[in-house]
């Protein structure tokens, strides 16, 4: 997209389904995403996640390949130890783009980036594991008071389901859909609050609700071109997400550059 003098907003869709997004956007069911595609550009990316489960997000954060940034799986080999180690702080072998920008004097705000953690020397706003579905760190922020201020302003994240507690049990589709729609709204509220309060030049937020929807709301009808355009639980979540993207874009201002990535 052409460079502008406004803010840059990056919105991540964790496990977002690009095929569905494109089909629904072209059909007019996702008007804000349709507008972004028509006014900007669209492309398909290959992903290292096809071989190394969680490596893709750190690749986006660092611009480095998995062998450089060092994050491959939720549980991965522990050098010098027998067995494995869970994802934890200090794993990255490369700085994130927000740390590089911060060092260059650009104010950044990062919100719920999966498999990320506080970095020493980063001075911007950073909130992690607030509205994520699978927690690997306790929810927190940098500076530490920021997450408490968020909860006070917007309330706690409302999803109420946690991957590590669910196991392989199915969830009620109607209840899960309602929870996800409410959670998307809460993430949009929190993102707009963070952007306004921090005055960030670069904002990065990730919606994890698409990850949950991909696990629990998928149905065979979504594989049928005609059927997927009808109302469905999955579509309800993506329509709410489209509205959330619109709210964030409007909050960023007319000169903002908006990037949506899955």
């Amino acid at each position: 997209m052409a460079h502008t003098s406004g803010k840059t907003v990056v919105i991540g869709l964790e496990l977002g389904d690009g095929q569905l997004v494109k089909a629904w956007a072209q059909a007019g069911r996702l008007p804000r995403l349709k507008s972004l595609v028509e006014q900007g550009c669209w492309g398909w990316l290959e992903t290292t996640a096809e071989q190394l489960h969680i490596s893709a997000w750190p690749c986006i954060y660092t611009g480095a390949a998995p062998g450089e940034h060092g994050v491959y799986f939720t549980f991965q080999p522990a050098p010098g130890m027998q067995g494995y180690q869970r994802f934890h702080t200090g794993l990255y072998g490369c700085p994130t783009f927000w740390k590089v920008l911060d060092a260059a004097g650009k104010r950044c705000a990062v919100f719920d980036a999966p498999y990320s953690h506080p970095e020493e020397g980063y001075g911007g706003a950073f909130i992690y594991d607030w509205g994520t579905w699978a927690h690997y760190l306790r929810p927190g922020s940098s500076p530490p008071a920021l997450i408490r201020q968020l909860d006070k302003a917007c309330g706690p994240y409302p999803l109420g389901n946690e991957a590590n507690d669910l196991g392989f049990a199915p969830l009620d589709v109607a209840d899960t859909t309602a929870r996800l729609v409410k959670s998307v709204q809460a993430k949009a509220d929190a993102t707009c609050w963070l952007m306004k309060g921090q005055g960030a030049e670069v904002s990065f937020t990730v919606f994890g609700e698409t990850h949950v929807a991909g696990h629990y709301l998928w149905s065979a009808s979504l594989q049928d071109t005609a059927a997927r355009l009808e109302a469905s639980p999955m579509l309800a979540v993506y329509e709410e997400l489209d509205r959330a993207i619109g709210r964030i874009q409007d909050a960023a201002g007319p000169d903002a550059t908006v990037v949506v990535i899955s």
Side-chain angles (χ1 to χ4, degrees), residues 1-2 32-43 249 257-259:
M1 301 181 70
R32 190 57 68 114
L33 280 165
K34 178 179 173 68
S35 175
L36 288 175
V37 171
E38 291 176 345
Q39 296 178 24
C41 58
W42 168 284
Q249 185 180 16
T257 297
V258 179
V259 179

Side-chain angles (χ1 to χ4, degrees), residues 105-219:
K106 299 294 184 180
R107 181 70 176 170
C108 299
V110 180
F111 189 19
D112 277 348
Y115 303 106
S116 66
H117 50 65
E119 295 172 272
E120 185 176 353
Y122 171 70
F126 184 81
I127 297 176
Y128 55 96
D129 279 308
W130 177 81
T132 50
W133 174 58
H135 292 83
Y136 294 96
L137 303 174
R138 292 187 61 185
S141 66
S142 175
L146 188 59
I147 194 168
R148 296 192 295 272
Q149 295 168 357
L150 170 60
D151 282 336
K152 183 177 181 180
C154 300
Y157 184 64
L159 181 60
N161 292 324
E162 215 288 332
N164 297 301
D165 297 330
L166 290 175
F168 294 102
L171 297 179
D172 180 81
V173 171
D175 177 67
T176 301
T177 302
R179 288 173 181 266
L180 289 175
V181 167
K182 187 176 181 180
S183 297
V184 169
Q185 295 168 349
K187 178 62 71 70
D189 289 342
T191 299
C192 292
W193 173 87
L194 186 64
M195 290 169 57
K196 180 179 179 180
Q198 298 301 311
E201 297 170 83
V202 178
S203 298
F204 178 37
T205 189
V206 177
F207 286 83
E209 294 78 16
T210 42
H211 189 153
V212 187
H215 280 297
Y216 295 100
L217 302 185
W218 185 267
S219 65

Side-chain angles (χ1 to χ4, degrees), residues 50-71:
E50 291 182 357
Q51 291 78 35
L52 302 169
H53 176 42
I54 70 164
S55 64
W57 283 114
C59 287
I60 293 169
Y61 305 156
T62 64
E68 297 175 84
H69 64 61
V71 182

Side-chain angles (χ1 to χ4, degrees), residues 95 97 100 117 156 248:
F97 71 80
V100 173
H117 50 65
I248 294 169

